Amino acid sequence: MQTDDARKKAFLLGHWLIPLLLAGTALIVMMIGDGAAETLRYQRASILEGEVWRMLSGHLVHLGWHHLVLNLAGLLLIWALTGDTFADPAWWLLIFLCALSVALGLLMFNPELHWYVGLSGILHGLLLAGLVARLQTEGGSYVLLLLVVLALKLTWEQLFGAMPGSESGLGGKVVVDAHLYGALGGAVGAVLLLSLPGARTRFLR
């Protein structure tokens, strides 16, 4: 018979399994080095030639350790805020939808962008999806506040470019459109999941 401590540890491991898997994979890609980055990053010409895996794998590649640490810190923060909203299968589906939304958005609307790396587009989508779910199930003024802050951030980026200081030490430019495409993917995915029959029992924790 499991003790309370054992059950608590099992819950915590399960709760953090998705971000740990994402973080671990991104760390492995970083440690492999430039060879992995060249093979896996979003690269427009290669995708159009048939290397469609780059539409997903490119999000696990980073410009350097500073970029990776920032994205992983964001992932852990987002998971702490909203990771208990959706069930694991729903989160995996949302990750896929956000990744695809970013890649398709860049392919269709940013033809001048030859390559792209990083988790930030997916992170914006996951945060928005989690907040939408929490708003529907619990409500709360803090959720509305976070939604407003996220909307203001995305609006600023579309009007004025990257947030001040966000490119410092990054090793490249912030592709702000990826944040918008990821957020749209997360929002659409969350709304679709939550509108399906039996959503509370099938997709929410």
Side-chain angles (χ1 to χ4, degrees):
M1 185 175 179
Q2 276 191 323
T3 65
D4 288 342
D5 285 344
R7 282 195 292 269
K8 188 175 181 180
K9 288 178 181 177
F11 170 78
L12 288 174
L13 178 60
H15 175 64
W16 288 94
L17 183 60
I18 290 176
L20 288 175
L21 285 173
L22 288 176
T25 306
L27 283 167
I28 290 170
V29 171
M30 176 62 72
M31 287 187 289
I32 292 174
D34 292 341
E38 289 290 334
T39 303
L40 299 177
R41 72 182 185 182
Y42 168 96
Q43 194 155 296
R44 180 181 177 82
S46 299
I47 292 171
L48 294 176
E49 290 172 0
E51 296 182 5
V52 293
W53 69 81
R54 293 176 180 269
M55 298 175 72
L56 301 178
S57 63
H59 305 281
L60 298 170
V61 182
H62 290 82
L63 294 170
W65 287 103
H66 180 73
H67 187 204
L68 176 62
V69 169
L70 285 177
N71 273 345
L72 295 189
L75 173 62
L76 296 179
L77 177 60
I78 289 166
W79 209 257
L81 289 171
T82 65
D84 61 346
T85 52
F86 287 103
D88 286 357
W91 275 125
W92 283 118
L93 178 60
L94 287 166
I95 290 167
F96 174 78
L97 289 175
C98 291
L100 198 60
S101 178
V102 172
L104 287 174
L106 295 177
L107 278 173
M108 291 188 293
F109 303 116
N110 299 80
E112 77 288 350
L113 186 71
H114 299 298
W115 61 273
Y116 164 83
V117 297
L119 267 174
S120 60
I122 291 178
L123 295 183
H124 282 73
L126 297 184
L127 177 58
L128 186 50
L131 291 175
V132 168
R134 198 173 292 289
L135 183 65
Q136 177 164 323
T137 57
E138 300 174 19
S141 56
Y142 84 96
V143 179
L144 285 172
L145 177 61
L146 289 173
L147 284 168
V148 169
V149 170
L150 180 56
L152 289 174
K153 178 182 184 293
L154 292 170
T155 301
W156 172 284
E157 290 178 337
Q158 289 301 304
L159 294 175
F160 307 111
M163 297 294 290
S166 61
E167 293 179 340
S168 177
L170 198 62
K173 290 187 66 176
V174 174
V175 181
V176 297
D177 286 348
H179 299 169
L180 177 63
Y181 303 147
L184 291 173
V188 171
V191 170
L192 287 176
L193 286 175
L194 294 171
S195 65
L196 291 173
R200 284 182 176 270
T201 55
R202 294 170 62 191
F203 304 119
L204 298 176
R205 288 188 184 276

